[in-house]
C-alpha cells in the first residue's frame, strides 16, 4: 500500500484517527475529520514510538497492521487457535507477554495466536483446574488476573533460548544462516548521487551480503540469501521472515544502510526484537550486541548502539534475528568507507566473528575484535571441528 501521510484525506484517514482516539493518542474534539493533519501526524509518531516501529509519521503497511491490531485489548474477545488464519492483535501479544512472565513457553511474543500459544494456554489451564482447551475466554482471564508471577529471579525465555544455543554446539559447521539484503527490485532503498556516480542501498547491501555468504560458506555454514542482485519486485519483510522460518534457519541477518537529511548523521546501529515493556528475544539481543561491538571495533564506525524494535522482520522470525544499519549512505564520511570493497570485507569479518562468538559458551568467549576469522576457514579445510 502507498503510505498515508500528512495532507492526505479520505476514509482511511478517518479510520486511523478513530483508532488513535481510542488509544487516547488523539484528542476527541468534535466530529471526526478525514484530514491527516499535524495532530494526526504527532499521534502516529507517538504510536510508532510506543510500538517499536520506525518513527516517520506516515502510515505504511506495517504501521497500518499495528494500528489494526491495537484495536483489541486483552479480555475484549475470546482468543483461540484459528485455522488457517490465526487471530492476531494487541490482545494476543499482551497474553503472550503475560504467559512469558509466568514462565510458560509461547516462543516469541509475535501477536499471533498460533499452536505454541494455544499449548501454553492449555498448560496454564490444566495447572489451575480449568478445561485445557487452549482458548482464552472469561474463565481463563479471571484465573490470569488472580495469579501473580510464576517465575521469580530469572528470565525463563532467556534460559530456554540460551540452552538451545548451547545444545547446538560451538561450531559453525552445519548451521544455517539466512542473509537478507534489504530492499531490491522496485525498491532501491536509499539513493545518493556522488559526483558522476549514483550509489544505491540495494546494490551495496547485496554486495555486502554476497561477501558475507562467501565467508560463512567457507566456514562450513549453509547460507541462503533472501534475494538476488536484480529481483523483479521487493519481497515484503513479513515474507522474508517466513522464508527464514521455512528454511529452519539458526540465524537471520538483515543488512541495510541508513540515511538522514543531516549529512553529519553517521554510524552503525543494530536492532533486535523487543517491546517497550522489556519482553525481548534474548539470543537476538545478545547477537545484536556482538555484531555491534565487532563492527565498531574492526571498522571505527561511530557506535549508535543496539535497539529493540518490533518490526515484522524481527518479530516474525523464530531464530536469533538482527537488522544491521551499516552506516549512513548520506554521510560523506560513512559513504567513503561503504563504497570501498576492503571496508566491506572488514564489516563481513566482524559479522562472521559475532555469529561464531554467539555459539561460544559465555565462559569461553573471546575479547571483541580478537577472533581471527581465517582460522574458522582453516578448521573446515582441515576437516576438524573447534570445540
Amino acid at each position: 500500500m502507498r503510505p498515508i501521510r500528512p495532507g492526505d484525506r479520505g476514509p482511511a484517514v478517518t479510520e486511523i484517527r478513530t483508532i488513535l482516539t481510542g488509544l487516547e493518542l488523539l484528542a476527541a474534539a468534535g466530529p471526526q475529520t478525514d484530514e491527516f493533519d499535524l495532530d494526526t501526524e504527532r499521534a502516529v509518531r507517538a504510536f510508532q514510538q510506543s510500538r517499536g516501529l520506525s518513527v516517520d509519521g506516515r502510515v505504511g503497511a506495517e504501521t497500518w497492521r499495528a494500528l489494526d491490531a491495537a484495536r483489541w485489548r486483552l479480555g475484549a474477545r475470546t482468543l483461540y487457535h484459528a485455522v488457517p488464519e490465526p487471530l492476531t492483535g494487541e490482545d494476543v501479544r499482551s497474553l503472550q507477554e503475560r504467559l512469558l512472565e509466568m514462565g510458560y513457553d509461547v516462543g516469541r511474543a509475535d501477536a499471533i495466536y498460533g499452536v505454541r500459544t494455544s499449548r501454553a494456554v492449555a498448560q496454564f489451564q490444566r495447572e489451575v483446574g480449568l478445561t485445557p482447551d487452549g482458548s482464552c475466554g472469561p474463565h481463563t482471564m479471571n484465573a490470569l488476573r488472580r495469579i501473580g508471577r510464576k517465575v521469580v529471579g530469572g528470565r525463563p525465555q532467556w534460559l530456554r533460548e540460551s540452552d538451545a544455543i548451547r545444545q547446538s554446539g560451538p561450531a559453525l559447521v552445519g548451521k544455517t544462516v539466512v542473509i537478507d539484503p534489504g530492499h531490491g527490485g522496485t525498491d532501491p532503498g536509499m539513493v545518493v548521487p556522488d559526483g558522476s556516480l549514483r550509489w544505491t542501498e540495494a546494490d551495496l547491501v547485496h554486495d555486502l551480503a554476497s561477501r558475507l555468504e562467501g565467508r560463512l560458506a567457507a566456514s562450513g555454514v549453509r547460507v541462503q540469501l533472501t534475494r538476488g542482485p536484480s529481483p523483479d519486485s521487493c519481497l515484503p519483510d513479513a515474507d522474508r521472515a517466513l522464508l527464514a522460518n521455512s528454511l529452519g534457519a539458526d540465524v537471520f541477518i538483515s543488512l541495510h544502510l541508513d540515511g538522514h537529511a543531516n549529512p553529519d548523521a553517521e554510524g552503525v546501529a543494530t536492532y533486535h526484537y523487543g517491546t517497550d515493556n522489556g519482553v525481548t528475544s534474548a539470543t537476538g539481543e545478545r547477537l545484536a550486541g556482538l555484531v555491534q561491538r565487532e563492527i565498531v571495533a574492526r571498522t571505527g564506525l561511530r557506535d549508535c548502539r543496539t535497539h529493540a524494535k518490533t518490526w515484522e522482520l524481527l518479530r516474525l522470525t523464530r531464530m536469533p534475528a538482527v537488522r544491521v544499519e551499516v552506516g549512513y549512505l548520506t554521510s560523506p564520511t560513512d559513504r567513503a568507507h561503504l563504497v570501498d570493497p576492503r571496508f566491506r570485507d572488514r564489516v563481513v569479518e566482524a559479522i562472521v566473528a559475532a555469529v561464531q562468538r554467539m555459539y561460544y559458551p559465555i565462559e569461553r568467549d573471546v575479547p571483541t575484535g580478537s577472533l581471527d576469522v581465517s582460522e574458522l576457514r582453516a578448521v573446515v579445510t582441515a576437516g576438524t571441528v573447534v570445540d
Side-chain angles (χ1 to χ4, degrees):
M1 63 177 283
R2 182 188 73 82
I4 303 171
R5 63 192 74 200
D8 287 351
R9 290 179 176 272
V13 176
T14 301
E15 190 165 5
I16 290 168
R17 289 178 56 88
T18 299
I19 296 172
L20 292 170
T21 301
L23 296 173
E24 299 183 349
L25 294 173
L26 190 63
Q32 282 285 13
T33 175
D34 67 349
E35 180 185 0
F36 199 120
D37 56 13
L38 182 60
D39 288 339
T40 306
E41 181 186 4
R42 288 172 178 159
V44 168
R45 287 180 179 274
F47 174 80
Q48 291 170 326
Q49 180 71 36
S50 69
R51 294 309 192 276
L53 302 170
S54 297
V55 182
D56 57 11
R58 301 181 299 172
V59 180
E62 190 164 6
T63 297
W64 169 250
R65 285 190 287 270
L67 281 166
D68 189 49
R71 301 172 188 269
W72 298 104
R73 286 287 176 268
L74 185 58
R77 59 175 174 169
T78 296
L79 299 173
Y80 57 93
H81 180 216
V83 178
E85 292 294 329
L87 296 179
T88 62
E90 193 74 13
D91 52 348
V92 178
R93 192 182 82 166
S94 296
L95 173 63
Q96 291 171 325
E97 291 175 352
R98 179 79 172 95
L99 290 168
L100 283 170
E101 184 183 61
M102 296 171 66
Y104 294 96
D105 182 11
V106 302
R108 189 160 299 177
D110 57 8
I112 301 172
Y113 204 100
V115 173
R116 206 163 174 178
T117 299
S118 179
R119 287 174 179 167
V121 170
Q123 182 184 353
F124 168 77
Q125 291 169 324
R126 191 176 297 109
E127 292 179 2
V128 296
L130 297 174
T131 303
D133 60 6
S135 64
C136 184
H139 295 301
T140 302
M141 279 302 308
N142 287 337
L144 283 169
R145 293 188 184 102
R146 289 196 307 268
I147 298 175
R149 290 177 58 91
K150 180 179 178 182
V151 177
V152 179
R155 296 167 62 185
Q157 189 63 15
W158 164 263
L159 296 175
R160 277 191 288 265
E161 293 185 9
S162 298
D163 185 63
I165 291 290
R166 185 168 53 255
Q167 292 292 333
S168 68
L172 290 183
V173 177
K175 290 182 171 61
T176 300
V177 175
V178 171
I179 306 170
D180 172 45
H183 307 283
T186 54
D187 177 15
M190 191 69 55
V191 179
V192 177
D194 186 11
S196 60
L197 301 174
R198 180 174 175 269
W199 302 106
T200 66
E201 178 182 0
D203 291 342
L204 286 170
V205 294
H206 185 270
D207 176 84
L208 193 61
S210 298
R211 293 170 188 267
L212 181 56
E213 177 187 26
R215 291 294 181 90
L216 285 171
S219 302
V221 176
R222 293 190 293 265
V223 187
Q224 175 72 48
L225 268 62
T226 59
R227 70 170 176 89
S230 303
D232 294 332
S233 60
C234 181
L235 194 66
D237 282 353
D239 290 347
R240 297 176 194 236
L242 293 177
L243 173 61
N245 292 340
S246 69
L247 292 170
D250 297 292
V251 174
F252 180 87
I253 300 170
S254 185
L255 301 172
H256 287 255
L257 302 180
D258 218 330
H260 198 276
N262 184 348
D264 291 332
E266 60 181 47
V268 57
T270 308
Y271 300 86
H272 62 88
Y273 174 73
T275 66
D276 56 352
N277 60 358
V279 174
T280 184
S281 165
T283 50
E285 183 178 6
R286 179 166 184 247
L287 177 59
L290 291 169
V291 168
Q292 182 71 16
R293 293 193 297 274
E294 286 286 348
I295 291 179
V296 169
R298 293 171 187 257
T299 67
L301 286 172
R302 181 184 296 275
D303 185 1
C304 295
R305 298 179 293 178
T306 63
H307 307 273
K309 291 290 183 182
T310 63
W311 294 325
E312 290 173 335
L313 193 73
L314 304 175
R315 177 171 58 88
L316 299 178
T317 43
R318 301 194 190 108
M319 69 292 302
V322 296
R323 170 170 161 168
V324 192
E325 300 275 356
V326 193
Y328 281 73
L329 194 56
T330 49
S331 159
T333 302
D334 281 2
R335 185 168 64 248
H337 292 313
L338 291 166
V339 301
D340 182 351
R342 294 169 299 180
F343 178 85
R344 295 199 293 273
D345 280 339
R346 294 203 300 275
V347 172
V348 164
E349 288 185 355
I351 295 175
V352 173
V355 172
Q356 175 61 87
R357 287 180 62 195
M358 185 183 71
Y359 286 100
Y360 283 159
I362 298 294
E363 65 273 11
R364 292 190 50 205
D365 197 8
V366 298
T368 298
S370 67
L371 183 63
D372 186 351
V373 175
S374 63
E375 291 183 357
L376 304 178
R377 297 194 295 273
V379 167
V380 176
T381 302
T384 60
V385 175
V386 176
D387 59 9

